Amino acid sequence: MTKTLLLVESKPARPDLVEEYHQWHEQTHVPEMLDIEGFASARRWQAVDGESFLTLYEIDSDVETARANLREALS
């Protein structure tokens, strides 16, 4: 059961890197995030500005546990 939602806005470093950004996000980043205990799912949208993207992560543990797991995965 989802306990918390984490909304992240991001965008490619440059407009010409949009395809590379999507590939990395979908094939590398999201799978890595979902391997972290507490992160249950992720959905993505293009923001209204057309240049940035939103990712909504569903967290099924308490926030502090998910945050600690994320920190550990990043170290």
Side-chain angles (χ1 to χ4, degrees):
M1 181 166 111
T2 301
K3 292 186 174 188
T4 305
L5 299 173
L6 171 64
L7 182 64
V8 178
E9 181 180 12
S10 62
K11 64 181 179 180
R14 298 187 323 255
D16 62 314
L17 297 176
V18 170
E19 290 306 315
E20 184 178 321
Y21 167 83
H22 285 306
Q23 183 177 6
W24 168 81
H25 207 281
E26 294 170 9
Q27 295 177 7
T28 303
H29 179 67
V30 168
E32 287 176 347
M33 289 295 289
L34 296 180
D35 279 344
I36 298 171
E37 187 175 339
F39 289 82
S41 69
R43 288 180 272 172
R44 298 181 67 216
W45 295 273
Q46 185 168 0
V48 174
D49 68 11
E51 296 178 12
S52 60
F53 301 87
L54 302 173
T55 304
L56 179 69
Y57 296 96
E58 295 181 84
I59 298 172
D60 62 2
S61 66
D62 66 89
V63 173
E64 290 307 315
T65 299
R67 185 179 292 160
N69 293 341
L70 178 58
R71 265 191 240 114
E72 184 179 326
L74 293 173
S75 61

